[in-house]
Amino acid sequence: MLLVSRQIDDAFERDVQGIDLVVGAKGSPLQLILAGVFHIDVPPGNIALADFEALARQPLVAEAIPLSLGDSFAGYRIVGTTPQYPAHYGAALAQGRLWQQPMEAVLGAAVARAMASASQDAAPGQGDALLGRRFVGSHGLAGGGHAHGAHPYTVAGVLAPCGCVLDRLVLTATESVWKVHESAQADDPDDLEALRQEREVTLALVRYRSPLAAVTLPRTINANTPMQAAAPAVEVTRLLRLLGVGADVLQAFGAVLLGVAALSVFIALWNAVRERRADLAMLRMLGTSRARGRAAAGRGAVAGADRLGPGPGRWPCTGGGGRLDAAGAERHARDRRAVAARGMGGARPCGVRGGGGGAAAGRAGLPGGRGRAAGAALNAWMGPNSLPFALCLFLRRRLLSVTHSF
């Protein structure tokens, strides 16, 4: 979730970079930003070409880039503009060149991939096969509108991927958009000339000449012209604030999941250590220190292995679920039957396989001589039909009492 939030913020910053103001028809400022900068909404309307030219002559304006919207190709927007628009984002050409006359178009990287994959005679990603190809735009920004079949576009170039909004656009000259729509509205030369006198653009992307323009220019445009000025920084911040509530909820949910996972791991380790309390008690009785015994149990819990004697040489009375060999298992079953016959309620005797006590004690951290001596003593004493069996039961009760101290 954190990565997704970061990528969204980076995408917003990348598309807004260098754009100080967006000027368009009056309406919603946020809608104007979404339509003019990110191209994910419809614009509120058009502005007169004369008003745009007057704006570009303002002394506080360093650069004004016109954008003319209205058509699309396969769901990708066709944008009429000037070469300043791709230069603003530092876009580079992967194939071909920029448009040099009306009805020539330059494809963004995503548009070129879509066109190549939809074609039957060109493999996806081969830009050379797209150069010179002709395609028809359709009316509307969502696709599925009326196709302008009488005025096809010719692919002049393909942009290299930039990770910005240009990847999803088809760029052409502003005159191309005017030509397509004027011919669709009138056929008479006089009517066409009247339409040329009333030409419009959809919006303008403005870069300030000085920081002082941020104080005076938006207010002047909103108060004294039929246009509206919207600051991308302000509107994007407001948009992120609206979306931030949902992002915060998802981040909190992710934190809860991480906490539950950490608690589950802790509980699993804790239970694994608690299962070895009897082993710890026996080690304490044999003389190992409290810290060393706990360290041995902790290593066994983390590694998922019974370090206190799994396999041959295991003390069957550990209660830790260790594995026995065939002889040890048979002896352990015989001991349990003997205990049950004596009415001990299924108590686990401490029968020890030969040589196992010293090995287990040595692995647990006891000194070598002391561990071998303890193992030899246990091997000599323990047996289901001997007197030391009673001592084993006494030791078991003693073991359980010591266990409660851990």
Side-chain angles (χ1 to χ4, degrees):
M1 184 59 201
L2 294 176
L3 292 177
V4 172
S5 299
R6 180 61 181 272
Q7 290 176 356
I8 292 176
D9 294 340
D10 292 344
F12 277 128
E13 293 176 1
R14 186 168 54 247
D15 291 342
V16 174
Q17 63 178 354
I19 300 175
D20 298 321
L21 199 66
V22 179
V23 180
K26 291 188 178 297
S28 170
L30 181 59
Q31 180 183 3
L32 188 62
I33 298 299
L34 294 178
V37 178
F38 304 109
H39 295 276
I40 55 177
D41 200 355
V42 295
N46 296 329
I47 59 176
L49 179 61
D51 293 334
F52 166 76
E53 293 173 345
L55 173 67
R57 292 192 297 267
Q58 284 275 352
L60 296 177
V61 175
E63 183 182 46
I65 303 174
L67 299 183
S68 296
L69 309 178
D71 291 344
S72 63
F73 167 73
Y76 297 99
R77 292 190 173 186
I78 299 176
V79 180
T81 184
T82 64
Q84 295 172 295
Y85 189 46
H88 173 80
Y89 289 100
L93 285 166
Q95 301 290 339
R97 55 174 174 79
L98 290 179
W99 64 91
Q100 296 179 351
Q101 58 185 355
M103 307 312 297
E104 288 186 344
V106 174
L107 307 180
V111 184
R113 286 193 298 268
M115 182 180 291
S117 62
S119 175
Q120 297 180 358
D121 56 348
Q126 293 183 352
D128 291 332
L130 298 177
L131 298 181
R133 178 168 302 180
R134 298 164 70 89
F135 66 93
V136 175
S138 59
H139 187 69
L141 300 178
H146 172 70
H148 301 290
H151 298 86
Y153 293 92
T154 302
V155 177
V158 177
L159 294 177
C162 64
C164 61
V165 68
L166 296 183
D167 291 340
R168 309 185 301 271
L169 300 179
V170 177
L171 304 181
T172 185
T174 306
E175 293 78 9
S176 302
V177 179
W178 290 337
K179 181 177 180 180
V180 169
H181 290 87
E182 287 171 0
S183 60
Q185 296 178 14
D187 295 329
D188 186 75
D190 295 335
D191 295 338
L192 290 175
E193 182 62 27
L195 290 176
R196 294 189 185 98
Q197 298 298 325
E198 299 176 354
R199 282 177 171 173
E200 298 176 328
V201 296
T202 305
L203 48 90
L205 306 180
V206 176
R207 182 169 57 87
Y208 295 144
R209 188 178 299 276
S210 68
L212 182 62
V215 180
T216 60
L217 186 60
R219 184 180 303 175
T220 301
I221 293 174
N222 291 331
N224 302 327
T225 69
M227 301 181 294
Q228 173 187 227
V234 176
E235 299 303 324
V236 168
T237 302
R238 186 161 67 93
L239 177 62
L240 292 178
R241 189 181 301 115
L242 294 176
L243 299 177
V245 177
D248 293 341
V249 171
L250 292 179
Q251 290 180 5
F253 182 69
V256 170
L257 290 181
L258 290 178
V260 171
L263 182 61
S264 300
V265 172
F266 173 77
I267 291 175
L269 293 176
W270 177 257
N271 289 334
V273 173
R274 285 179 60 87
E275 289 178 355
R276 289 165 173 80
R277 289 186 303 172
D279 296 324
L280 294 174
M282 179 61 74
L283 293 176
R284 289 283 290 150
M285 292 178 64
L286 294 176
T288 188
S289 65
R290 184 188 298 268
R292 186 171 295 179
R294 287 181 174 176
R299 289 193 301 269
V302 173
D306 194 347
R307 292 179 178 269
L308 300 176
R314 170 65 196 260
W315 326 340
C317 64
T318 59
R323 295 184 298 273
L324 297 173
D325 58 357
E330 181 180 357
R331 188 181 69 250
H332 187 57
R334 186 172 64 251
D335 293 346
R336 290 180 61 87
R337 289 195 297 270
V339 172
R342 297 185 183 187
M344 301 305 295
R348 295 184 181 181
C350 295
V352 179
R353 183 177 174 83
R363 287 195 303 270
L366 288 174
R370 195 173 186 179
R372 287 192 296 272
L378 288 175
N379 292 335
W381 288 355
M382 297 304 167
N385 300 318
S386 63
L387 181 60
F389 183 81
L391 179 60
C392 179
L393 297 180
F394 170 79
L395 290 177
R396 182 181 181 277
R397 290 193 295 269
R398 186 79 177 131
L399 180 148
L400 293 177
S401 64
V402 176
T403 300
H404 292 293
S405 64
F406 282 83

